[in-house]
Amino acid sequence: MTPYKLVVVSAGLSKPSSTRLLADRLAESTVRQLSLRGREVEVEVVELRDLAVEIANNLVTGFPGAALRRAVEAVTEADALIAVTPIFTASYSGLFKSFFDVIDHDALAGKPVLIAATGGTPRHSLALEHAVRPLFAYLRAVVVPTAVYAATDDWGATGDGLGESLPGRIDRAAADLTALLAGRAPAAPEPAGLPEHVVPFAEQLAALKA
């Protein structure tokens, strides 16, 4: 059985990064839940911090470097994405937006995407809904219902005031992504060429009239 390809895009700037930590936790939960369904997953992490210079050069020249080209191909060929950004000035980071500006606007059409973000204060949690979700909706991705925001205090808290902890929200979002993936067949390799015998379109139309 062909494994699913899950690509994790992290826009964290520091090392270690809470953004990368959240991305890893989301990926781990998704892999665990898919394994319970008997499905294998190949996970690839794209660290935008390492691609910052190539992303900037591509925006100016229109030519991606080798590492950026590989990252774009990974995202394009993925069965699903987990996209995590830090929140700056109540929105996604410039690096996060610039990376998705580089990708062809049709590449994410119909692709399941789990969105998440990190920030210093809970006040910016709505940035996921007024900035990140519309971005992927514009790219025609299928964004899972549950988005995960992790403020600094969430990492040690037992609940979010509504009885759900950060680990609980992570598992719920991963369950949403798992459900979407479980209904999709893994991406198959592109065929090497056309079938040996191709019926011309005119003959197909004639057959319909017969």
Side-chain angles (χ1 to χ4, degrees):
M1 188 176 291
T2 305
Y4 289 111
K5 298 176 183 177
L6 176 64
V7 172
V8 181
V9 178
S10 171
L13 297 180
S14 60
K15 286 191 176 182
S17 161
S18 61
T19 301
R20 174 62 189 271
L21 178 60
L22 179 57
D24 287 344
R25 296 282 176 85
L26 289 164
E28 290 165 6
S29 183
T30 302
V31 170
R32 182 173 67 252
Q33 295 187 49
L34 281 168
S35 68
L36 292 175
R37 294 173 177 251
R39 302 308 303 258
E40 295 184 1
V41 189
E42 294 177 354
V43 179
E44 181 173 350
V45 178
V46 175
E47 281 273 20
L48 299 188
R49 178 182 185 275
D50 300 332
L51 299 172
V53 173
E54 289 196 23
I55 290 171
N57 286 339
N58 184 83
L59 291 173
V60 174
T61 66
F63 296 100
L68 178 58
R69 188 182 304 110
R70 286 193 297 270
V72 170
E73 288 173 354
V75 168
T76 301
E77 296 169 2
D79 292 300
L81 297 181
I82 294 175
V84 190
T85 178
I87 297 300
F88 297 140
T89 321
S91 189
Y92 40 63
S93 73
L95 181 60
F96 184 83
K97 178 61 163 58
S98 295
F99 175 70
F100 286 101
D101 283 343
V102 166
I103 296 174
D104 185 271
H105 67 278
D106 291 325
L108 301 187
K111 197 182 298 292
V113 178
L114 191 167
I115 58 173
T118 57
T121 171
R123 292 195 301 271
H124 294 311
S125 61
L126 288 179
L128 277 167
E129 301 303 326
H130 69 64
V132 184
R133 191 180 295 275
L135 168 65
F136 287 101
Y138 173 78
L139 295 172
R140 293 180 291 140
V142 180
V143 186
V144 303
T146 304
V148 179
Y149 179 82
T152 301
D153 292 343
D154 284 331
W155 293 101
T158 57
D160 61 2
L162 298 175
E164 189 172 27
S165 64
L166 177 59
R169 283 179 278 144
I170 288 172
D171 286 342
R172 182 154 57 92
D176 288 347
L177 185 60
T178 297
L180 279 176
L181 264 177
R184 292 166 56 97
E190 291 294 327
L194 292 173
E196 292 184 6
H197 176 65
V198 178
V199 179
F201 183 57
E203 288 186 19
Q204 296 181 46
L205 286 177
L208 289 174
K209 296 176 181 178

